[in-house]
Amino acid sequence: MARLRRLPPIHALLAFESAARLGGFAPAAAELCITPSAISHRIRQLEAQLGEQLFERTASGVRLTDAGQHCLVGVREAFDRLASLSRSNPHDDVVRLVVGTPPTFARNLLIPRLPEFQRLWPDIEIELAIGAPMQDRPERHDVDIRFGSGLFDERLTVKLYDDRLDVLVSPAFVQRHPAVTRPAELAGLELLRSPLVPWLPWFRAAGLPWPEPQRGTIFTDLGALLEAAASGLGLAVCSRRIAERWIRDGQLILLFPDLEVPSTNTYHVLVERDLAPRPEVAAFTDWLRSTFA
């Protein structure tokens, strides 16, 4: 699987530049609205990736090392180039980036975090193109977020995060079936189905010699699958992270929380090879990776 170029995380570069300009971690933290410990963590992350010590820690604050001085020049040049994107087009003061995304990822994971990206990159305007996840030939955009195993097409593809599978049920189901405490006791219950997340991997991890269910309501969207489970229509198996909102709000309960089952499918970011060097594409894909890692 091809990968995007390994770029330093944008949030780490911002922390570094702010600390260097303001002369300390505390003022940088105040400027970026995070804690000083978060500034320190991001700079250590950057130092580890670059293999260089960027600051000398002193009693009165921090001071740039020679390597830090050299790095600062490059970082400011890169930021200046990104800042000039809007000025390069006299007819528009923003650069538009079209992002294709499935609806459940957009609604539950991406949109709640977009204000952070807009604060970091106010000159990049995001246009979300919501697409059905099961299209045979999905439309391509500047950046596409897709759910699957990572084998999509010839574009550069990067996994956003690893995930696990869980069986999810409504609180009403638990009240109706208090005796269901072992995986084998799912026999005869209504199992909701989705081609995006089959049951078979979970069955195997649970030690159940069962085939993929052939009966039960089918959903081609994970959000609809989870809403159906929350409504009491049946049991769903789904990746944990996409179900976080339903779990947090108490609409869904993990039926077997101690059973660790890695998910073979998760979300990936796809970029056309000739678009990857574009500053706005690199900024957004790097932000996605650092946000969801």
Side-chain angles (χ1 to χ4, degrees), residues 6-20 25 28 32 34 38-50 54-55 71-72 75 79 116 119-121 286-287 290-291:
R6 179 61 173 164
L7 299 174
I10 293 296
H11 65 272
L13 294 175
L14 287 166
F16 166 70
E17 192 280 333
S18 180
F25 291 178
L32 297 177
I34 57 178
I39 291 286
S40 179
H41 172 75
R42 294 179 181 188
I43 290 175
R44 286 198 305 271
Q45 181 184 14
L46 182 61
E47 289 176 328
Q49 182 170 342
L50 298 178
L54 303 177
F55 287 101
C71 181
L72 181 61
V75 169
F79 283 0
E116 177 193 2
R119 180 176 62 82
L120 296 174
W121 304 106
D286 180 74
W287 174 79
S290 62
T291 297

Side-chain angles (χ1 to χ4, degrees), residues 185-229:
E185 292 164 348
L186 297 185
L189 297 177
E190 182 69 21
L191 304 183
L192 305 176
R193 298 186 292 156
S194 173
L196 294 166
V197 187
W199 278 89
L200 193 57
W202 191 88
F203 286 164
R204 288 174 175 169
L208 301 174
W210 298 352
E212 185 68 26
Q214 299 301 307
R215 296 182 60 84
T217 310
I218 298 176
F219 299 87
T220 58
D221 174 75
L222 295 181
L225 171 72
L226 295 170
E227 286 291 347

Side-chain angles (χ1 to χ4, degrees), residues 85-86 92-97 123-126 278 280:
L85 286 173
S86 61
D92 196 355
D93 58 357
V94 296
V95 174
R96 178 169 292 122
L97 186 69
D123 293 333
I124 301 177
E125 182 178 275
I126 300 297
R278 281 172 42 184
E280 68 273 20

Side-chain angles (χ1 to χ4, degrees), residues 43-151:
I43 290 175
R44 286 198 305 271
Q45 181 184 14
L46 182 61
E47 289 176 328
Q49 182 170 342
L50 298 178
E52 301 272 11
Q53 182 179 348
L54 303 177
F55 287 101
E56 293 178 357
R57 279 70 169 177
T58 67
S60 59
V62 294
R63 181 173 60 245
L64 284 170
T65 63
D66 290 343
Q69 292 282 2
H70 178 75
C71 181
L72 181 61
V73 172
V75 169
R76 285 179 172 168
E77 287 178 353
F79 283 0
D80 287 343
R81 289 188 63 187
L82 285 169
S84 69
L85 286 173
S86 61
R87 295 193 295 270
S88 66
N89 186 350
H91 303 291
D92 196 355
D93 58 357
V94 296
V95 174
R96 178 169 292 122
L97 186 69
V98 184
V99 178
T101 173
T104 302
F105 182 89
R107 184 179 300 112
N108 295 286
L109 295 180
L110 180 58
I111 291 175
R113 293 167 171 84
L114 272 183
E116 177 193 2
F117 180 81
Q118 292 177 331
R119 180 176 62 82
L120 296 174
W121 304 106
D123 293 333
I124 301 177
E125 182 178 275
I126 300 297
E127 176 183 334
L128 290 184
I130 308 299
M134 295 298 294
Q135 298 178 61
D136 290 336
R137 293 181 176 273
E139 185 180 354
R140 294 192 180 193
H141 306 88
D142 297 331
V143 175
D144 280 298
I145 298 166
R146 300 272 297 279
F147 184 83
S149 64
L151 301 176

